[in-house]
């Protein structure tokens, strides 16, 4: 979709204006699929298991870390596995350096921020989300950052609802950008506009494949400010 058509779609979904955007992390802000696959496969190797199946790899992308481990390991191995993951094969050392930003996302984020659009994150990651933001110098752009240590994991809309409350915003004036059914479910449950990134198969209100195109399309949208101003 080109910028003109995307702009029309966005104006249709935000007739009163846009207050803010909530982002998923994996597959939306960062390209983490291969880094995550490599990390979980390394854990499987440590316990003498074969690599993940495609179904398992897809599941780990949208689950919490604990849910991912429960999904790919037998329950009797969980106690030792958690010790290994916390003390021997660390995500921060093994996978974090392999993460990559989605193309064009930084320019788009800084443009949105400069326009006065609120930016938040709702992710099924835990406190390691801050390591990701620091790695790419993005911490200053997002407030709030909803992790599973703060809210219930998606598809529960808890993080969306709390973000709207903190912003003093209506769901109809906020978009949730995600790439999975759990993201769309959280967006729907929180009453926000569902925006799918690089997933034309998802049931969403808006679809886009390029941050450069999205950045251009948003330029002519009206920005609806709230009483709760960004930091």
């Amino acid at each position: 979709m080109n910028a003109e058509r995307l702009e029309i779609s966005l104006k249709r979904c935000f007739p009163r204006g846009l207050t803010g955007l909530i982002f998923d992390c994996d597959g939306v802000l960062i390209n983490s699929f291969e880094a995550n696959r490599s990390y979980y496969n390394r854990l499987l190797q440590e316990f003498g298991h074969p690599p993940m199946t495609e179904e398992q790899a897809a599941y780990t992308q949208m689950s919490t870390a604990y849910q991912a481990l429960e999904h790919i390991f037998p329950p009797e191995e969980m106690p030792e596995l958690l010790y290994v993951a916390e003390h021997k094969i660390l995500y921060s050392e093994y996978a974090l350096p392999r993460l990559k930003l989605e193309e064009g996302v930084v320019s788009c984020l800084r443009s949105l921020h400069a326009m006065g659009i609120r930016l938040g994150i709702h992710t099924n990651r835990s406190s390691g989300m801050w390591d990701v933001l620091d790695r790419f110098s993005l911490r200053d752009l997002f407030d709030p950052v909803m992790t599973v240590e703060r809210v219930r994991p998606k598809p529960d809309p808890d993080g969306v609802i709390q973000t709207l409350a903190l912003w003093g915003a209506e769901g109809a004036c906020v978009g949730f950008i995600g790439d999975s059914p759990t993201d769309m479910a959280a967006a729907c449950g929180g009453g926000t506009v569902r925006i799918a990134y690089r997933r034309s198969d998802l049931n969403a209100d808006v679809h886009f494949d390029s941050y450069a195109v999205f950045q251009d399309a948003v330029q002519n949208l009206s920005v609806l400010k709230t009483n709760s101003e960004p930091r």
Side-chain angles (χ1 to χ4, degrees):
M1 181 181 294
N2 61 32
E4 183 178 356
R5 291 177 59 194
L6 182 57
E7 181 183 332
I8 292 171
S9 182
L10 289 170
K11 285 182 175 178
R12 172 179 52 81
C13 290
F14 298 104
R16 294 175 49 214
L18 177 63
T19 296
L21 292 166
I22 303 170
F23 290 79
D24 174 41
C25 176
D26 293 83
V28 174
L29 294 175
I30 60 171
N31 183 335
S32 59
F33 188 81
E34 291 305 325
N36 288 344
R37 186 207 292 265
S38 178
Y39 174 71
Y40 288 114
N41 281 344
R42 176 67 185 86
L43 288 173
L44 287 164
Q45 180 186 39
E46 182 74 9
F47 284 77
H49 298 305
M52 289 190 295
T53 65
E54 291 302 315
E55 180 277 328
Q56 289 172 326
Y59 180 86
T60 60
Q61 276 295 101
M62 59 183 179
S63 67
T64 68
Y66 190 82
Q67 288 171 336
L69 295 175
E70 281 190 316
H71 188 70
I72 62 179
F73 282 88
E76 62 271 16
E77 291 180 347
M78 285 298 289
E80 183 182 357
L81 172 62
L82 293 176
Y83 178 85
V84 170
E86 291 174 6
H87 300 283
K88 185 176 179 181
I89 304 175
L90 304 180
Y91 186 91
S92 60
E93 295 179 0
Y94 193 87
L96 189 64
R98 294 174 166 84
L99 300 179
K100 300 177 181 178
L101 284 168
E102 285 293 318
E103 183 177 357
V105 69
V106 173
S107 173
C108 183
L109 290 172
R110 297 208 175 276
S111 176
L112 295 169
H113 190 263
M115 290 174 63
I117 296 172
R118 307 290 294 264
L119 305 178
I121 290 175
H122 184 198
T123 176
N124 280 348
R125 283 180 175 265
S126 58
S127 59
M129 183 67 228
W130 296 108
D131 294 330
V132 174
L133 293 177
D134 287 340
R135 169 170 167 73
F136 297 111
S137 301
L138 297 177
R139 185 186 280 247
D140 63 309
L141 295 178
F142 296 101
D143 184 27
V145 176
M146 296 294 185
T147 68
V148 293
E149 293 172 331
R150 186 172 180 179
V151 296
R152 292 184 292 274
K154 298 174 292 185
D156 194 294
D158 187 24
V160 176
I161 293 169
Q162 289 201 38
T163 297
L164 295 179
L166 287 169
W167 285 350
E170 296 181 32
C173 299
V174 172
F176 190 117
I177 300 180
D179 70 330
S180 72
T182 57
D183 293 328
M184 297 301 103
C188 185
T192 61
V193 175
R194 300 164 298 174
I195 304 176
Y197 174 62
R198 299 181 65 181
R199 284 291 302 272
S200 60
D201 59 313
L202 290 180
N203 183 19
D205 304 296
V206 180
H207 296 81
F208 78 100
D209 297 319
S210 162
Y211 276 107
V213 172
F214 188 83
Q215 181 177 338
D216 288 343
V218 173
Q219 294 302 312
N220 293 323
L221 290 184
S222 60
V223 178
L224 184 64
K225 300 296 181 69
T226 66
N227 292 328
S228 173
E229 290 302 315
R231 59 184 179 181

